[in-house]
Every structure is written in structure tokens, then in C-alpha cells.
Amino acid sequence: MANPLRAEVVRLYKNLLYLGREYPKGGDYFRDRLRAAFNKNKEVQDPEKIKEMITRGEYVARELEALYYLRKYRAMKKRYYEE
Amino acid sequence: MSGRVLVGVKRVIDYAVKIRVKPDNSGVVTDGVKHSMNPFCEIAVEEAVKLKEKKLVKEVVAVSCGPQQVQETIRTALAMGADRGIHVEVSGKDYESLGPLQVSKIMAALAKKEEAQLLILGKQAIDDDCNQTGQMTAALLDWPQGTFASEVTVEGEKLKVVREIDGGLETIKINLPAVLTADLRLNTPRYATLPNIMKAKKKKITQVKPSDLGVDLTSRLQVLRVDEPPQRQAGVKVETVDDLVSKLRECGRI
């Protein structure tokens, strides 16, 4: 992997791994898919392409945060507020 | 308004976990079960951090009462933006009987000791659903309270609070110092991401004992029994409308 971007990619991976622990289908399911996705792109050298993939990874992280928030909000709303 | 905000956070069984009652009906199974911060407490922390980001307060202090494990919950609050934490050590039998009255005595003592301007709590905990701690603390401190807050604005030395009540929304103006309890629609709590959790490791958590604060933890309540809610009865299928009518007559419904 391109040297300066290696740290960013590893940071992204650790972030996603941490976020994936709460995944509704199971942390293991998420971790396996995450590893497969990162492994598939292991050989890419072009810094532009790597940056693009990092952006996509950050997008996934934001989507996960939104998913978790909505799940929690809807559960609380259903339990505590008259529909 | 500038000064210190105290935020109370509670470590509860995670909202998504299926609760199991212990075989001896003395309580709920907590060993090995996933715990996290009470959702309403998350909203309280988020509100305090937002006030700090708007430069309306100087310091956000996260407080939690319980055994060693509550430090995880305080760390989550620190990762969300609190400046430091206070862990009030309560364990064993005292922790099992810890209820809103004891917690509110602790909070009141801490609010005085830390010279807090504002105390924000979640409106209720999802494990005991008491909805009492905020109100009791305000009474002990003789501070005004803005409970079920769905919107908070600072207006000089006063707070304008919009409260969610049965009839709709109520807007009140209260003096500082005050106690607020956070309702669901107050804000959208941020997620404590890994980089923030790493940064939060540098923040301090002080340990305090209830005896240092002069608080007596004896409970006046005793849990006699904990039962599961009754199982849902299976429905009955009928073939024709006449069957339905006769079955309804049998049950005495018509």
C-alpha cells in the first residue's frame, strides 16, 4: 500500500471494526464482510483510487452511526410514547 | 451563563438486549449481559456538550454511581465531549438497593461541592423507569427544574425550556442554577467513535465515596419479587362468521 496512506487505511479499518460490533446482524457477520472488502482491494497502488475508497469507507461509517441512532430512537419512541 | 455543568449518566442493560428474570425471581440477569449508557443520559450528555460548544458553559463533568464497571460509561461520556468524570463508588448490597432517592442525595451533594450552575439528567432510566431522580435532586437543592425538556435556550441568566407534556408543549422560564431532565427529542446524540474514545483516555476520572459527600445510602424500599410479564395468549382461528359470533358470545364479549 502507498506509504502515507497506509496509516489512514488502517485507522479506517479499526474505526469500522469498532463500529461494526453493534451491527444488528452480528459483529462477526460485519467483521467478515469488512475483511473481505479490504482484502479485495489489497493490491491497489494508485493514491487517487485509495483516497476514493477511504472516502467510501468513511461514508459507510457515517451510515452505520445513522443506523444505530435510528434504531435506538425508534425503540425508545415505541416504548415510551403513545402512537 | 458560564460555569460548570454536571451530567448524570447511568449504566444500564443495553436497550436491545432481551431481558431475562433470574430463576429465583429476585431480579433480572445482569452477569455477562451487554450494558451501555442509558439512552436518555446520552441525550443529556449531548446537550451539555452542545452548550459547551456554543461557549455558554466552561466545563462539562460526567457523574456516575456504581461499581468499577460504570467507569466505561463515564468514558463514553468523556468520548462524547465531557471534560472530566466523577465516579461515585457504590458496590455490592448498596448498589443493588441504589435508587433515585440515594442518587439524588449524591447529585445534590456533588452539585454543591462542584459549584455547578446546571445539572442535566436523563428523564428516566430504561431499567427502572422511575423518572424521579431529576425532580428529587431539584427539591433537595431547592433549584428550579425543567423536566421532559425538548428544547433549551439560554437567555441571559435564565433558561427558557420547552417541555413535552401530555397536552402538547409547555414553555417555561427558570432561573439558574437549575436541574434539567432530557426528553427524547432534545437532540441527536453523537456516536462515541474510536478516535474520540482514545482521546478520552487522557481525561481524568476522580473517585469519590458517598461517605465523603456525607450521604446515607440506606434504602427504604425492598424488592420482594420480580416477574416476567404474562405470556401472550395464542390467537384462535375460526372458519365462518357464525363461528366468530358464537365464540365472542362464549367469552362474554357480546
Side-chain angles (χ1 to χ4, degrees), chain A residues 5-83:
Chain A
L5 291 174
R6 186 192 168 82
E8 273 192 56
V9 174
V10 171
R11 204 184 317 144
L12 175 68
Y13 179 78
K14 283 191 189 163
N15 242 344
L16 284 170
L17 201 56
Y18 180 77
L19 274 171
R21 293 178 321 168
E22 248 191 273
Y23 196 67
K25 270 190 160 161
D28 295 339
Y29 173 92
F30 186 86
R31 189 198 57 209
D32 294 338
R33 303 304 262 336
L34 177 70
R35 299 190 72 180
F38 269 69
N39 269 329
K40 199 170 60 150
N41 298 317
K42 203 160 43 171
E43 302 304 321
V44 177
Q45 293 291 348
D46 179 20
E48 281 306 312
K49 284 230 181 67
I50 295 179
K51 277 199 194 118
E52 187 202 315
M53 284 193 262
I54 291 177
T55 314
R56 212 180 335 140
E58 287 171 355
Y59 170 77
V60 170
R62 281 196 301 274
E63 287 282 294
L64 277 175
E65 289 180 23
L67 168 72
Y68 295 156
Y69 169 68
L70 272 176
R71 262 179 91 218
K72 196 176 279 194
Y73 178 84
R74 285 189 182 141
M76 292 298 115
K77 186 157 179 261
K78 192 165 172 215
R79 283 182 208 176
Y80 291 106
Y81 300 87
E82 276 285 308
E83 301 266 324

Side-chain angles (χ1 to χ4, degrees), chain B residues 57-123:
Chain B
V57 297
K58 281 213 210 88
E59 197 187 23
V60 176
V61 184
V63 183
S64 194
C65 310
Q68 273 301 104
Q69 294 96 319
V70 306
Q71 294 211 1
E72 294 166 22
T73 316
I74 301 179
R75 293 247 169 256
T76 311
L78 293 172
M80 284 172 74
D83 297 298
R84 59 183 168 91
I86 299 178
H87 169 204
V88 182
E89 286 171 330
V90 180
S91 44
K93 277 261 166 272
D94 282 335
Y95 183 59
E96 278 168 38
S97 66
L98 194 70
L101 184 58
Q102 291 76 22
V103 175
S104 56
K105 286 183 189 167
I106 293 174
M107 286 290 168
L110 273 173
K112 285 205 200 108
K113 181 162 174 259
E114 298 286 327
E115 293 174 349
Q117 279 264 286
L118 188 57
L119 177 62
I120 313 184
L121 302 171
K123 77 165 180 174

Side-chain angles (χ1 to χ4, degrees), chain B residues 25 32 90-91 100 115 118 151-152 169 201-202 205 224 254:
Chain B
N25 290 103
V90 180
S91 44
E115 293 174 349
L118 188 57
E151 200 187 309
V152 175
L169 295 172
K201 289 204 168 152
K202 296 195 194 109
I205 298 183
L224 296 174
I254 46 169

